[in-house]
Amino acid sequence: MTDTVLVVDFGAQYARLIARRVREAHVYSEIVSSSITVDEIRARRPKGIIFSGGPKSVYETPAPTIDPAVYDLGVPILGLCYGAQLMALQLGGTVTKTGRGEYGRTELTLTGSSPLCVDWPVTSEVWMSHGDAITEPPPGFTATASSPDAPIAAMHDPDRHLYATQFHPEVVHTERGSEVFERFLLDVCGCLPSWTHMSIIEQQVAAVREQVGDQRVLCALSGGVDSAVAAALVHKAIGDQLVCVFVDTGLMRSGEADQVEDTFRRQFKIDLIHVKAADRYFSALAGVTDPERKRKIIGELFIRIFEEVARDLGAGEGSGDEGPKFLVQGTLYPDVIESGSGTAANIKSHHNVGGLPDDLAFDLIEPLRLLFKDEVRAVGEELGLPHDIVWRQPFPGPGLGVRIIGDVTPERAEILRNADAVLVEEIRRAGLYRELWQSFAVMPAVRTVGVMGDGRTYAYPIVIRAVTSDDAMTADWARLPYDLVERIASRIINEVDGVNRVALDVTSKPPGTIEWE
Ligand code: XMP
């Protein structure tokens, strides 16, 4: 049984970063809402609890709070920023609107010894972000650090296993932040650092075997990292009982189909059904320009094809063998958190592989539902998937269909695929591929006049879209070096028939989305 630490979310995105830091210390963490009851906490038997920061002041109404009975559970608690102030307030300390907040890098001065800051120098750099400040610790607590505008920047009551810091140890700018987590998790909570990539694989392999028994399992491969890692993991668990389906929609990136064949059929020896459905997709999309209609058509056709494959795998009607009953899905932990309730049904449809509907008659296997993206990649590497797949940038389910604005035709798809291949090759060559969240080509629904050699051309422009992001919720347009932009542009115009102009998209998200449709 893996030790679990609960991260109570008091708003914004702070809890995710904390949960990841805990896992980096090889302890399993789960994010829970602040409305969790003490009985629910007890039932999960956590070895420790961490209160996250949050965007509110404890004096706002409503401001998130937690049942104070949590302090009597005997489970060690670490309160961070808002969490520290809430702890102070609920236990009888004083939180004051001092009128002088602290934002950014701040010097922390130790004023007492703390098991969380072992062997620290008297002063060190930490990251702060607070308006109010704790000015009086609760009874039983001792202050252990201060900063210019936080008289109590850290405090604890070791007898009750309660610890709090005003600063944010989860932020990289806090010099020795990771040590705060390590000391709390290992020394205070007594957790075993057993959450490793190997242990994740072992646990999931056992869970999949238990769920599936000797039944057959289907998995839709998209070419993306999530479905690839999920498939490799399930294959490790149940071998030949797994059948993978790769639907080539004609809207894939360059070389994607070959890479999937090569990796899964040849390297992993997985039973792979490769459905070549480009013709069906292009005829279903003929004349359709509305983005939502496109997405719907692409998603629905995927489902039809998937159902056909599943039926074909059964022994036929009336035989009692209706084909595989289980379906692998590459749902990740952030999708589970976003859905709020933690149930698969609420996951945004575009996070489902191919947008499969709930009424599809399969039981889901979700071997990645506890993992963050970086953990998925690490597991993928551990399982021996090629770097190219493991480190591939995200690609939307509807594929190039949402990057070809206007009519989706085989000719336009081919032009965009070729332009995209050049762009990605140059981005890789510049060493920027991993640094960028996504970098790809888009084809608008216009043609422009140009001149090449002696002749006038009337052809498509290509737009370079490159963004940096942590989670795709927000994104910044990437400041690509101009000489790189120039190389991409001249190579695309010279090498890709049908293109005579290249433009650069300088829109962040918001107000733009990452994809154009
Ligand atoms: P937007 O364009 O909404 O995209 O800023 C955010 C992230 O989601 C990806 N995306 C999709 N992924 N199916 C997917 O699996 C989809 O229909 C879809 N639409 C957008 C997009 O590439 C970006 O990473």
Side-chain angles (χ1 to χ4, degrees):
M1 183 67 192
T2 314
D3 290 339
T4 299
V5 165
L6 297 183
V7 179
V8 181
D9 184 3
F10 287 110
Q13 299 282 322
Y14 300 89
R16 279 193 201 194
L17 197 52
I18 297 167
R20 282 174 52 186
R21 292 286 174 263
V22 172
R23 291 183 184 199
E24 281 164 17
H26 303 300
V27 175
Y28 176 62
S29 62
E30 265 181 40
I31 297 174
V32 295
S33 152
S34 60
S35 61
I36 191 167
T37 65
V38 164
D39 283 342
E40 284 166 339
I41 293 179
R42 198 182 288 114
R44 295 196 188 203
R45 307 167 64 120
K47 293 280 276 196
I49 299 171
I50 301 179
F51 291 174
S52 82
K56 299 228 172 177
S57 153
V58 283
Y59 289 118
E60 270 175 63
T61 40
T65 184
I66 191 157
D67 184 345
V70 69
Y71 302 111
D72 301 325
L73 283 172
V75 178
I77 302 178
L78 172 61
L80 304 178
C81 193
Y82 180 90
Q85 298 187 0
L86 185 68
M87 186 187 283
L89 197 67
Q90 287 186 315
L91 293 173
T94 310
V95 177
T96 309
K97 284 189 181 304
T98 58
R100 288 197 318 275
E102 267 179 326
Y103 301 93
R105 287 193 173 83
T106 309
E107 190 175 82
L108 182 85
T109 304
L110 294 189
T111 56
S113 76
S114 161
L116 305 187
C117 308
V118 180
D119 292 335
W120 284 29
V122 175
T123 58
S124 61
E125 200 166 87
V126 297
W127 186 262
M128 290 279 198
S129 178
H130 65 104
D132 305 342
I134 304 170
T135 46
E136 192 74 51
F141 275 73
T142 315
T144 55
S146 69
S147 71
D149 286 302
I152 296 167
M155 60 177 196
H156 64 204
D157 178 349
D159 293 343
R160 285 194 287 168
H161 315 293
L162 303 177
Y163 296 79
T165 72
Q166 183 61 66
F167 60 90
H168 287 272
E170 74 275 22
V171 174
V172 289
H173 311 292
T174 293
E175 273 174 357
R176 302 181 68 162
S178 56
E179 288 177 39
V180 172
F181 289 111
E182 276 166 28
R183 297 281 66 81
F184 176 71
L185 297 166
L186 307 184
D187 301 346
V188 175
C189 303
C191 293
L192 286 177
S194 59
W195 178 254
T196 62
H197 306 134
M198 283 306 290
S199 77
I200 296 172
I201 294 172
E202 278 166 22
Q203 272 180 26
Q204 289 309 318
V205 161
V208 170
R209 282 189 186 141
E210 158 124 26
Q211 189 184 353
V212 169
D214 58 3
Q215 305 269 341
R216 277 185 300 170
V217 175
L218 260 188
C219 176
L221 286 173
S222 67
V225 55
D226 303 343
S227 64
V229 175
L233 198 50
V234 173
H235 184 252
K236 188 174 172 68
I238 57 165
D240 290 347
Q241 286 162 252
L242 174 70
V243 181
C244 285
V245 184
F246 175 67
V247 179
D248 186 348
T249 60
L251 301 168
M252 318 303 285
R253 287 169 285 192
S254 174
E256 200 146 26
D258 288 345
Q259 189 180 40
V260 167
E261 283 263 346
D262 199 58
T263 305
F264 290 94
R265 203 195 295 276
R266 282 185 277 283
Q267 195 178 323
F268 279 80
K269 312 262 182 274
I270 288 180
D271 189 359
L272 176 69
I273 299 176
H274 182 161
V275 186
K276 296 186 177 156
D279 292 347
R280 285 175 75 176
Y281 275 87
F282 287 120
S283 44
L285 287 167
V288 179
T289 56
D290 177 67
E292 280 308 305
R293 285 261 306 137
K294 275 188 196 171
R295 278 173 184 272
K296 248 191 135 58
I297 289 170
I298 294 170
E300 273 172 14
L301 187 50
F302 186 86
I303 292 156
R304 292 292 88 74
I305 291 173
F306 210 75
E307 284 170 345
E308 288 164 20
V309 171
R311 252 196 321 272
D312 289 350
L313 286 170
E317 230 164 293
S319 67
D321 178 5
E322 305 299 331
K325 288 192 180 45
F326 291 96
L327 177 70
V328 179
Q329 194 155 301
T331 315
L332 305 194
Y333 193 47
D335 304 333
V336 176
I337 306 167
E338 242 163 62
S339 75
S341 68
T343 58
N346 290 338
I347 293 164
K348 276 197 278 177
S349 66
H350 91 221
H351 284 291
N352 289 341
V353 177
L356 297 173
D358 298 336
D359 59 4
L360 209 60
F362 288 104
D363 288 340
L364 292 183
I365 298 176
E366 300 179 301
L368 313 178
R369 68 179 278 120
L370 299 180
L371 307 186
F372 288 107
K373 192 86 172 184
D374 47 348
E375 293 175 315
V376 170
R377 290 201 156 117
V379 165
E381 295 217 306
E382 193 75 51
L383 289 168
L385 283 170
H387 278 286
D388 259 10
I389 287 189
V390 169
W391 291 99
R392 204 148 222 207
Q393 292 174 352
F395 188 59
L400 299 182
V402 291
R403 296 178 179 171
I404 301 171
I405 316 309
D407 267 342
V408 180
T409 63
E411 296 72 33
R412 296 189 77 207
E414 190 58 20
I415 295 173
L416 181 60
R417 193 173 7 256
N418 292 337
D420 188 70
V422 170
L423 185 155
V424 170
E425 192 182 309
E426 285 298 332
I427 294 276
R428 279 188 198 279
R429 196 172 288 164
L432 294 175
Y433 186 79
R434 280 202 199 180
E435 219 171 280
L436 297 171
W437 175 264
Q438 276 171 294
S439 46
F440 55 87
V442 177
M443 180 187 269
V446 292
R447 279 190 286 172
T448 76
V449 174
V451 52
M452 279 170 105
D454 297 332
R456 173 187 182 280
T457 58
Y458 188 51
Y460 292 111
I462 285 290
V463 177
I464 301 172
R465 180 66 166 149
V467 296
T468 54
S469 175
D470 283 329
D471 54 8
M473 306 287 277
T474 61
D476 201 11
W477 66 277
R479 275 59 168 177
L480 300 177
Y482 272 171
D483 55 351
L484 173 62
V485 172
E486 181 182 347
R487 224 170 17 252
I488 293 171
S490 74
R491 275 198 60 196
I492 288 179
I493 292 168
N494 284 320
E495 294 174 28
V496 182
D497 280 345
V499 179
N500 67 354
R501 188 180 296 267
V502 171
L504 179 66
D505 184 348
V506 293
T507 319
S508 292
K509 172 183 180 177
T513 49
I514 295 174
E515 304 291 343
W516 269 40
E517 285 194 338

